[in-house]
Amino acid sequence: MDSTADPKGKRPLYQEDGLAYARAAAAAASATAADEAEAKPKPKPSSSSEEAKPEPEAEEMPPLVLVAEDGVEVRISRPAARMSHMLRLLMEDSCADGPIPAPNVHSDILDLVVQYCEKHGPYYDPEASERARNPFPPFPVELTPTVSSIKPVTYVDPDPHGLKDWDKDFISLDNSTLFEVILVKRILNLLDLSSTPQDLLDLGTTMVADMMRGKKPEEIREIFEIENDYTPEQEAELRKENAWAFED
Amino acid sequence: MELCSVASIMSLGYLAIQRTHLCSLVFRVLPKLLGFTPSSLKKLCKDVDPPLTETIVGTLPELPQDVLMDIFATLEMPDFIRVGAVCRSWHSAYTSLRSLGQYKLWLCLLYTSESAGDSSACLYSLTERRSYKLTLPEPPIRSRCLIGSSHGWLVTVDERSEMHLLNPFTCEQIALPSVTTLEQVKPIFDEYGVLHKYELSWLTGRTTHYSSPLIFALDKLRDELHYKVFVFPDTSTGSYIVVLIHNPGHQISFARLGDDKWTWLPHHYLYCDCIYKDGLLYGVSITGDLHTFDLSGPTVAMNTIISIHRDDDCEYAYIVQSPSGDLLLIWRLFEDFNLEPDHGETVFWNTTKFRIYEVEAAGSKLKEINCLRDHVLFLGHNESLCLSAEEYPSLKANHVYFTDDNMLWTLGFKNNHRDMGILNLADNSKEELLSSQICSNFPAPIWITPDLRNMNLASGAAYKMVQ
């Protein structure tokens, strides 16, 4: 949980050779060392602390400007932008100073995603989340859990910032918006194979999964507005396998 | 995977050339590589084709395969199967997950009932609190005993006392080596040369003097001989090892799929439960001993890990591996029983308590555990399971879900009320699983973890597939 470590040491669980190359190239050609230090994600308070104060240095850095497909500019503060692995990469490479185009994304959707990141950003610690997500990593162990990160069974996540309730309200979106949000966040998370459990992507996909439970295929098609591209004969054939699951 | 190639393209090609344009390139190129293109959005707009700069009306964007697979992997099996029938792209995600075996583990209770018919089994889902009905291949399931359930295989004993592996979902059946290949069983033929009885001896290998063997009708041998069967994946051969605990004296015999006979492990007896871990077969006996057997060599090497001599024998023992890899020994106590009832009353036995011990990693020591924390146990004729309640929110942490695997019920108490339910380890209170009106007592209900995949017979193994 030592977030003052060099960002190159804070790796996602699965190493991408391409990513290593990208970082090396960025570091070699970066403008000034001071610039890099300032653009680094600032150490954030641990999730168990009561107050999270926005870091003074980060506040001084201007927010990133994302430009949606309809030309509307959506601003996202640097701490919030850290929730996207992609944007983190751009910030570290000092590519994030000018407007960042986000084609295929409507400003309304982008706005929602930014809202989520702004809310969660200050409390985001990628390493703590990874351990919470996978307390029993596959052998050989690749993450050394610190004592503080292994939670006792009676541990109740304190959620001091009321994030869970906020999330519940936030994710009550209509299906179309929900899907868009999932897709956008997925792109923003790109290359971050260790995405955090409470991340907006997981929040969205969990929401979608809940909508599928206990429903028949016809009902699911209606909810998700999906066209049935099977002929009745093909569908009957499909249902013959594991017919038990389709009966009332 | 897409992501790997994207990363390498991003780093090698684009970075090298145009780092300053990285931002816009990333956002423009990657969505196309991932298949989320303006055209895929347009695809779903049949009648209306609005310019994309306006808010999307009516139809939802198509979710790409990897997002679908992430979602489907969290669904329980019935839901998982149903979403596979929605449309072609969803079916594709479903079949990918299924062939990888990456769908969620589903635990349900398999039972039979008179109303469902002789060849049907019912599956009770703990989450949905409802039952599904499955049609199973011949011979009728209600004529068989259920003595094992591991990795999606049910182990049955038919009316000729022969054992089969049965996958209720794929309807595959595999015959296990004949019961006559066990050391203790001899076939008896009538004057026409047809098998019509079995002779069961008392051979254990522990002494040289035995009582005379007994003779049983074909379907009666299974009341005496069989106790439990386990099916363990054997990673070294890519096949399965099948382990049978049988009488006399709860001894162990085993076979690999494809063998034509059972291999007897003499001199050791009184086993209640087994697991297979790290190439070793662990057996826990009713007397409190934990033994390991190394089945890999030409002769089987046995080792004693723990030797505690217990005097009480109204306790059954189980051994299980927790998700974190620890070995747990569990004792099941039947403090509430009456085996010699007065006239008009029935025999009964009820589980009242469980005692749980952790086997210390260094071996040979047991540490009693009072609370399972967030784990859940599933015990019975099935291969004992320990799950994390966090991954299965419908299960209650620190509870034991148990079915009746008491050998008493085979000794003439076939239609007895089943000792099964959910026990809360915190206060030893019990909850009923299913009303006895719904589920038949014979064959005894059993936990099952379904496997939707057909067994890969490409290796040309010699086992007999039963049609």
Side-chain angles (χ1 to χ4, degrees):
Chain A
M1 292 246 291
D2 182 15
S3 9
T4 53
D6 171 33
K8 290 185 196 55
K10 254 201 314 192
R11 292 228 170 257
L13 187 61
Y14 303 100
Q15 306 249 355
E16 297 276 4
D17 287 337
L19 194 52
Y21 183 93
R23 288 190 184 283
S30 68
T32 63
D35 250 2
E36 231 190 275
E38 274 191 282
K40 260 192 233 181
K42 283 300 159 191
K44 58 148 291 295
S46 73
S47 54
S48 53
S49 70
E50 307 75 36
E51 287 301 304
K53 302 176 191 55
E55 298 296 339
E57 297 92 336
E59 258 185 2
E60 286 172 8
M61 294 294 293
L64 301 180
V65 177
L66 306 172
V67 184
E69 65 186 359
D70 47 340
V72 175
E73 287 185 352
V74 180
R75 279 176 171 65
I76 179 168
S77 70
R78 300 226 170 203
R82 288 180 321 134
M83 288 204 71
S84 157
H85 189 95
M86 164 98 70
L87 294 179
R88 270 209 309 272
L89 182 61
L90 295 181
M91 288 195 290
E92 285 164 14
D93 287 351
S94 308
C95 280
D97 301 327
I100 301 168
N104 304 335
V105 185
H106 193 267
S107 57
D108 291 343
I109 308 294
L110 199 53
D111 220 31
L112 276 175
V113 174
V114 166
Q115 245 183 70
Y116 178 88
C117 295
E118 292 287 357
K119 181 75 184 172
H120 281 255
Y123 319 115
Y124 176 64
D125 175 7
E127 282 176 18
S129 314
E130 173 57 35
R131 278 192 294 275
R133 184 186 187 77
N134 189 12
F136 303 119
F139 196 80
V141 174
E142 285 153 349
L143 277 178
T144 316
T146 59
V147 170
S148 57
S149 69
I150 297 182
K151 300 180 186 160
V153 161
T154 48
Y155 177 84
V156 175
D157 212 345
D159 192 21
H161 312 288
L163 291 175
K164 287 211 173 83
D165 291 331
W166 188 90
D167 280 351
K168 253 206 294 222
D169 288 335
F170 177 82
I171 206 65
S172 330
L173 303 164
D174 63 274
N175 289 351
S176 157
T177 318
L178 179 61
F179 275 41
E180 298 264 9
V181 163
I182 290 175
L183 292 167
V184 169
K185 195 57 172 64
R186 178 169 158 277
I187 295 173
L188 288 179
N189 277 359
L190 203 57
L191 303 177
D192 184 1
L193 294 171
S194 60
S195 51
T196 62
Q198 283 312 304
D199 193 67
L200 184 52
L201 186 57
D202 278 357
L203 201 59
T205 51
T206 307
M207 180 85 176
V208 174
D210 287 341
M211 290 195 279
M212 294 178 189
R213 285 184 223 277
K215 304 266 187 337
K216 301 191 210 157
E218 309 84 75
E219 293 167 328
I220 296 176
R221 288 188 201 116
E222 219 181 281
I223 296 172
F224 293 101
E225 300 169 34
I226 294 176
E227 192 203 345
N228 184 1
D229 48 3
Y230 286 117
T231 66
E233 296 80 33
Q234 288 169 335
E235 189 177 342
E237 194 63 39
L238 207 64
R239 287 194 186 210
K240 263 208 294 200
E241 192 189 3
N242 297 312
W244 58 273
F246 297 101
E247 279 163 35
D248 285 322
Chain B
M1 262 268 314
E2 292 173 316
L3 297 177
C4 291
S5 58
V6 154
S8 35
I9 289 172
M10 221 188 92
S11 58
L12 300 170
Y14 292 77
L15 260 194
I17 315 164
Q18 300 172 63
R19 229 169 43 87
T20 49
H21 298 304
L22 174 66
C23 322
S24 57
L25 274 175
V26 153
F27 267 101
R28 260 190 279 134
V29 171
L30 291 171
K32 285 190 165 56
L33 289 171
L34 292 165
F36 174 41
T37 62
S39 59
S40 70
L41 287 179
K42 281 194 187 148
K43 198 172 98 169
L44 292 175
C45 302
K46 242 92 13 284
D47 311 321
V48 184
D49 191 359
L52 284 172
T53 46
E54 289 171 14
T55 18
I56 310 289
V57 233
T59 50
L60 296 177
E62 198 175 302
L63 290 176
Q65 289 283 297
D66 60 315
V67 173
L68 284 178
M69 283 171 73
D70 278 345
I71 296 175
F72 292 177
T74 65
L75 295 175
E76 267 212 342
M77 190 167 283
D79 290 318
F80 175 65
I81 291 172
R82 289 189 284 251
V83 297
V86 166
C87 66
R88 284 183 202 274
S89 69
W90 286 35
H91 187 75
S92 162
Y94 157 78
T95 44
S96 304
L97 274 182
R98 186 184 64 182
S99 57
L100 294 169
Q102 279 171 14
Y103 43 84
K104 202 165 171 186
L105 188 77
W106 185 42
L107 238 160
C108 53
L109 184 73
L110 186 135
Y111 65 94
T112 61
S113 90
E114 231 178 280
S115 53
D118 282 350
S119 290
S120 295
C122 302
L123 299 167
Y124 178 68
S125 158
L126 293 162
T127 325
E128 298 180 275
R129 290 176 189 261
R130 60 158 286 191
S131 292
Y132 295 91
K133 203 166 105 164
L134 274 182
T135 306
L136 299 181
E138 296 294 297
I141 190 72
R142 276 170 66 80
S143 68
R144 313 198 218 183
C145 294
L146 299 177
I147 57 170
S149 161
S150 324
H151 296 97
W153 292 104
L154 270 187
V155 189
T156 69
V157 193
D158 64 15
E159 284 173 317
R160 294 172 65 87
S161 297
E162 294 289 10
M163 289 173 275
H164 290 85
L165 295 187
L166 167 62
N167 183 332
F169 296 86
T170 61
C171 289
E172 282 175 291
Q173 280 200 97
I174 299 177
L176 292 176
S178 171
V179 72
T180 56
T181 64
L182 286 168
E183 280 294 322
Q184 292 83 1
V185 179
K186 278 210 214 354
I188 300 180
F189 301 95
D190 64 10
E191 62 263 27
Y192 305 104
V194 174
L195 177 71
H196 76 140
K197 288 201 195 348
Y198 295 114
E199 183 192 274
L200 178 64
S201 74
W202 300 100
L203 192 65
T204 56
R206 295 177 69 91
T207 154
T208 45
H209 299 288
Y210 297 100
S211 318
S212 2
L214 297 177
I215 312 277
F216 293 97
L218 293 185
D219 63 332
K220 294 283 182 260
L221 179 67
R222 61 185 180 168
D223 292 345
E224 291 293 328
L225 178 75
H226 306 77
Y227 176 54
K228 253 191 214 177
V229 176
F230 309 92
V231 183
F232 301 118
D234 182 15
T235 39
S236 57
T237 58
S239 182
Y240 290 104
I241 291 185
V242 185
V243 175
L244 164 68
I245 298 181
H246 63 92
N247 286 322
H250 281 207
Q251 305 180 61
I252 292 180
S253 295
F254 73 95
R256 290 191 169 79
L257 274 199
D259 287 355
D260 54 5
K261 66 178 196 58
W262 293 96
T263 304
W264 180 41
L265 292 181
H267 315 306
H268 309 291
Y269 66 164
L270 296 180
Y271 292 104
C272 277
D273 200 14
C274 295
I275 58 165
Y276 192 67
K277 181 169 122 89
D278 305 326
L280 289 178
L281 176 68
Y282 286 70
V284 63
S285 74
I286 208 169
T287 53
D289 296 336
L290 181 59
H291 299 150
T292 59
F293 297 90
D294 184 351
L295 305 179
S296 52
T299 51
V300 175
M302 187 282 231
N303 205 7
T304 303
I305 307 258
I306 295 193
S307 190
I308 309 166
H309 294 289
R310 303 181 65 91
D311 297 321
D312 340 323
D313 51 15
C314 60
E315 296 182 0
Y316 272 36
Y318 301 88
I319 180 168
V320 76
Q321 196 174 357
S322 74
S324 48
D326 309 316
L327 273 185
L328 299 176
L329 280 189
I330 300 134
W331 300 100
R332 177 175 177 172
L333 285 73
F334 308 92
E335 289 158 329
D336 179 27
F337 66 93
N338 186 349
L339 299 181
E340 285 158 15
D342 298 328
H343 182 70
E345 290 180 357
T346 47
V347 167
F348 68 89
W349 56 90
N350 287 317
T351 302
T352 47
K353 238 200 270 178
F354 288 92
R355 269 210 269 269
I356 305 178
Y357 299 86
E358 194 177 304
V359 180
E360 310 246 282
S364 76
K365 273 223 296 270
L366 289 183
K367 187 180 91 175
E368 181 154 12
I369 301 181
N370 294 317
C371 175
L372 271 182
R373 298 190 266 171
D374 97 322
H375 293 332
V376 192
L377 288 176
F378 284 85
L379 305 176
H381 272 109
N382 57 294
E383 188 180 331
S384 309
L385 280 174
C386 180
L387 301 178
S388 159
E390 207 183 309
E391 283 180 45
Y392 302 92
S394 58
L395 300 180
K396 302 183 196 179
N398 203 27
H399 280 62
V400 181
Y401 291 69
F402 61 95
T403 57
D404 197 344
D405 61 347
N406 202 310
M407 56 180 219
L408 288 173
W409 68 271
T410 55
L411 305 178
F413 300 117
K414 259 201 177 89
N415 288 306
N416 233 51
H417 169 69
R418 294 287 147 235
D419 169 34
M420 61 184 202
I422 310 172
L423 191 138
N424 183 346
L425 289 169
D427 61 2
N428 289 331
S429 62
K430 275 198 290 191
E431 207 184 296
E432 204 184 42
L433 264 174
L434 269 186
S435 134
S436 40
Q437 266 91 46
I438 307 176
C439 95
S440 290
N441 290 319
F442 178 83
I446 192 169
W447 298 113
I448 184 165
T449 52
D451 190 335
L452 292 177
R453 291 170 295 175
N454 276 310
M455 199 161 142
N456 187 353
L457 299 177
S459 56
Y463 18 97
K464 291 190 326 245
M465 279 292 286
V466 178
Q467 296 310 314

